[in-house]
Each structure stands twice: as structure tokens, then as C-alpha cells.
């Protein structure tokens, strides 16, 4: 089981997050970066193709033996599903149609959500904007684990289980930390998803539904791409709360690995974040970074000094505005 980690609480800090100040510095020195603040219309076609790919997979698995349904759910479906959650992340930043067509992005997010099987897009957008505005904010940023997670998942075996159950914790954590009233768009997201699931079940049966849901759960749990959940903000080095990853899995994840760049410039689509790093290399090259999400997962499980408590947390002051 391993030894309990030494950390018994979060790393409380009393300074503002670094991203706003760094953004100002970079824009003053490299104003040409402003030209990258525009929609990525290619995102629309990529998402449409991903939805079509999953629809094709739903049809192809309907008559397979169960062992092959499980196999393809993990090998293929999980990759597409996790990639789609990161497409939804892009859409939540209005990267598909731009800020001037915010509602187009919301409707498109509901469409992108369909092959995941569970309603996600609208709620994610509401909470994710809080994560950017109030990074580490106590009671606001639901990306921060609960005290129970930090206290209980403190040995290698328990941390392994925590990684497997990531979809469960990401689903219930907002209800524990920062519950919000349900909105009309969330109800529409739910009804559209239920209608889609019923149609898939009616057309192709239970194996297609299982493939869809299992792919989403497996893809967000024990999966190489899931290393980004931990790589982004878990404090492997004291004093550093955001980390970038520059490995090949960025090709499947809309460059979410460029996470310092993303938090510095959340209105720049993932496609252009490598350009941000190239233009402002003097700001990013010397920051802590990763080249393997699998190694991040392994180190998180095996390092007794790292746990869900390994996050910076802030007591927010002044007025807090939430979506």
C-alpha cells in the first residue's frame, strides 16, 4: 500500500495567479500575439468528423462479441471520447465561432457532446471559466480536489484508484464544492443527450450504448491522455502551479498540453499555442515542463510526496463573479 504522504493540506498561497501579469508582459513585448486571438474554423470540421467517426463505430460494434466491444471501447472509443472533451474545452472558449457568436459555440458544444453519452458541455463551460478567473480559488475552482480526496487517496494503491475514478470525481466535485442553479441550456443539453442515447439504443442496441459510455469513462480514467489532468496543475515542484507538456499526445488533444500558454492566453485557440511559445520563448522555455503524460501518472502514483493535496489554493478576496 505504501506510506502515507507527508502533505496533510493544500499549499495555501496569498498571491495572485501568475498568468495575468505574464500576459501583460508578453503582450507589451510581443504585440503580434494579438493576431492569434481569432477563431479556429478548422475546429468545426474536426469535431464533425469525430462525431461521424463515433457514429460509424457505434454501428460497427453492434454485432461484435462483448470482449471486442470492450477492446475497441478502450483502444479507439476512449481516445475519441477524451479528445472530444478537449474539443468541448476549446468550444467553451468560443474557439469555434468566436466571441461574437457565443451562442453558436454553446449549441455546437451540445452537438460535440452527443457521442460522449452523458451531458457535459454546458456545465463544463460554466465551471471552467471560474477555473481561469479564480485559479485555485477556495470554494470556486472545482478543479481543486476536495479535502476528502486529499486525505484518503494518500498511498500508491489509493492514488491509482483515484486516477481510475477521475470521471466520477470530476462529476460530483462541483456539487460538493460549488453547486450552481441549473440553467435552461443545461436542461437542453440533458434532453438532447437523452434523445440521442435513446435513438442509438433503438437503432443499434445495448452494445453500441455500452461502447459509447465505456469509452467515455475509460478515456477519462486510467488512460495515457488522462495524464493531463495531473500534469496541468499538480505541484511536482514547489512554487509552480501550472505546467506545460510538449509531447506527441498534443496532436490528439488540441494542444491542451501547452497549459501555461493556454492560461496566459485563454482566448487563443489550441492550434496557435505552439506559435505563442515560439514567439515568447524566453518566457516559456525555462518553465517546468513534461514530455510524457504516462510518466506523470506513474510518478503521481509512486511518489509519496505527491497526492491530491499537491495543489496551490487561494482564499479569494473582493467580489467574485461566476458564470
Amino acid at each position: 500500500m505504501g506510506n502515507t504522504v507527508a502533505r496533510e493540506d493544500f499549499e495555501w498561497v496569498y498571491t495572485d495567479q501568475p498568468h495575468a501579469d505574464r500576459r501583460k508582459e508578453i503582450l507589451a513585448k510581443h504585440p503580434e500575439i494579438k493576431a492569434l486571438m481569432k477563431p479556429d474554423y478548422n475546429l468545426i470540421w474536426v469535431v464533425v468528423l469525430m462525431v461521424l467517426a463515433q457514429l460509424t463505430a457505434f454501428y460497427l460494434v453492434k454485432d461484435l462479441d462483448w470482449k471486442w466491444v470492450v477492446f475497441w471501447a478502450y483502444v479507439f472509443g476512449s481516445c475519441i471520447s477524451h479528445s472530444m472533451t478537449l474539443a468541448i474545452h476549446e468550444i467553451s472558449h468560443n474557439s469555434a465561432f468566436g466571441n461574437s457568436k457565443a451562442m453558436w459555440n454553446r449549441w455546437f458544444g451540445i452537438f460535440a457532446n452527443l457521442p460522449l453519452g452523458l451531458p457535459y458541455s454546458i456545465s463544463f463551460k460554466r465551471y471552467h471559466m471560474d477555473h481561469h478567473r479564480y485559479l485555485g480559488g477556495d470554494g470556486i475552482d472545482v478543479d481543486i480536489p476536495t479535502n476528502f480526496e486529499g486525505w484518503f487517496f494518500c498511498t500508491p494503491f489509493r492514488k491509482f484508484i483515484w486516477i481510475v475514478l477521475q470521471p466520477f470525481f470530476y462529476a460530483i466535485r462541483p456539487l460538493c464544492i460549488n453547486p450552481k442553479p441549473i440553467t435552461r441550456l443545461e436542461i437542453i443539453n440533458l434532453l438532447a443527450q437523452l434523445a440521442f442515447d435513446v435513438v442509438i439504443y433503438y437503432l443499434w442496441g445495448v452494445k453500441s450504448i455500452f461502447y459509447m459510455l465505456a469509452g467515455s469513462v475509460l478515456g477519462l480514467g486510467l488512460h495515457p491522455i488522462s495524464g493531463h489532468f495531473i500534469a496541468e496543475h499538480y505541484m511536482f515542484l514547489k512554487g509552480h502551479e501550472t505546467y506545460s507538456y510538449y509531447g506527441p499526445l498534443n496532436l490528439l488533444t488540441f494542444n491542451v498540453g501547452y497549459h501555461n500558454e493556454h492560461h496566459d492566453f485563454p482566448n487563443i485557440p489550441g492550434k496557435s499555442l505552439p506559435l505563442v511559445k515560439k514567439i515568447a520563448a524566453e518566457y516559456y522555455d525555462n518553465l517546468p515542463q513534461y514530455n510524457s503524460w504516462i510518466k506523470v501518472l506513474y510518478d503521481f502514483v509512486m511518489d509519496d510526496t505527491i497526492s491530491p493535496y499537491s495543489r496551490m489554493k487561494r482564499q479569494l478576496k473582493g467580489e467574485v463573479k461566476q458564470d
Side-chain angles (χ1 to χ4, degrees):
M1 293 283 288
N3 298 320
T4 303
V5 296
R7 179 171 288 281
E8 296 180 353
D9 195 3
F10 297 101
E11 179 81 9
W12 287 88
V13 294
Y14 302 94
T15 57
D16 292 334
Q17 58 167 297
H19 299 289
D21 287 342
R22 188 160 60 219
R23 176 167 55 249
K24 291 177 183 177
E25 283 188 33
I26 292 175
L27 287 177
K29 189 173 181 179
H30 300 287
E32 66 271 26
I33 284 178
K34 292 179 182 178
L36 303 177
M37 299 175 182
K38 59 185 179 181
D40 174 15
Y41 295 117
N42 288 331
L43 177 63
I44 299 168
W45 307 113
V46 172
V47 167
V48 169
L49 288 173
M50 290 169 70
V51 171
L52 292 176
Q54 280 293 69
L55 285 173
T56 302
F58 297 161
Y59 172 77
L60 292 175
V61 303
K62 67 184 179 68
D63 296 320
L64 294 180
D65 289 340
W66 276 106
K67 63 182 179 183
W68 290 111
V69 176
V70 174
F71 174 82
W72 287 114
Y74 188 78
V75 171
F76 182 76
S78 63
C79 296
I80 296 290
S81 291
H82 200 138
S83 184
M84 189 63 87
T85 66
L86 295 167
I88 290 171
H89 166 252
E90 287 283 292
I91 296 165
S92 76
H93 286 280
N94 294 335
S95 291
F97 296 98
N99 292 323
S100 63
K101 296 180 178 178
M103 281 306 299
W104 288 38
N105 290 282
R106 301 293 78 74
W107 294 119
F108 191 57
I110 291 173
F111 168 75
N113 196 151
L114 294 177
L116 296 178
L118 298 169
Y120 162 81
S121 176
I122 299 300
S123 296
F124 172 79
K125 187 261 191 297
R126 298 179 72 198
Y127 284 103
H128 188 64
M129 294 305 103
D130 293 341
H131 170 65
H132 275 273
R133 291 192 195 107
Y134 308 111
L135 180 63
D138 185 32
I140 302 295
D141 184 359
V142 299
D143 193 60
I144 298 286
T146 61
N147 277 304
F148 170 77
E149 292 170 77
W151 167 77
F152 185 77
F153 295 100
C154 59
T155 67
F157 177 74
R158 291 182 188 179
K159 287 189 285 183
F160 175 81
I161 297 301
W162 184 75
I163 289 172
V164 172
L165 297 178
Q166 277 296 291
F168 172 76
F169 288 112
Y170 269 89
I172 66 168
R173 198 182 290 149
L175 304 178
C176 300
I177 294 178
N178 186 18
K180 297 184 179 185
I182 296 175
T183 65
R184 181 179 67 92
L185 276 177
E186 285 175 303
I187 294 173
I188 292 172
N189 193 176
L190 171 64
L191 295 176
Q193 192 64 59
L194 288 174
F196 178 83
D197 294 352
V198 168
V199 169
I200 295 300
Y201 177 77
Y202 177 78
L203 290 176
W204 298 321
V206 69
K207 289 180 180 178
S208 296
I209 290 292
F210 176 87
Y211 166 88
M212 174 168 56
L213 296 175
S216 296
V217 172
L218 293 171
L220 296 169
L222 187 63
H223 194 281
I225 297 177
S226 291
H228 81 87
F229 288 132
I230 294 169
E232 289 166 0
H233 296 293
Y234 284 81
M235 200 167 44
F236 281 78
L237 290 176
K238 186 175 178 62
H240 294 276
E241 65 181 316
T242 306
Y243 301 75
S244 288
Y245 156 84
Y246 299 125
L249 289 177
N250 277 307
L251 295 172
L252 297 178
T253 58
F254 301 91
N255 286 327
V256 75
Y258 288 76
H259 217 65
N260 269 300
E261 295 85 348
H262 172 60
H263 271 266
D264 289 352
F265 299 99
N267 56 343
I268 293 181
K271 179 188 74 172
S272 298
L273 293 178
L275 275 175
V276 172
K277 180 181 184 295
K278 182 178 180 181
I279 293 169
E282 68 274 24
Y283 287 91
Y284 298 113
D285 285 353
N286 295 321
L287 292 177
Q289 56 191 251
Y290 301 113
N291 291 302
S292 171
W293 278 335
I294 295 176
K295 188 176 187 303
V296 168
L297 291 171
Y298 177 83
D299 289 346
F300 178 83
V301 170
M302 300 307 296
D303 188 337
D304 280 345
T305 66
I306 305 296
S307 78
Y309 269 143
S310 301
R311 293 289 298 263
M312 285 192 181
K313 203 171 186 181
R314 292 176 171 84
Q315 189 71 50
L316 297 174
K317 300 176 182 179
E319 185 179 4
V320 174
K321 296 181 180 180
Q322 301 183 66
D323 282 8

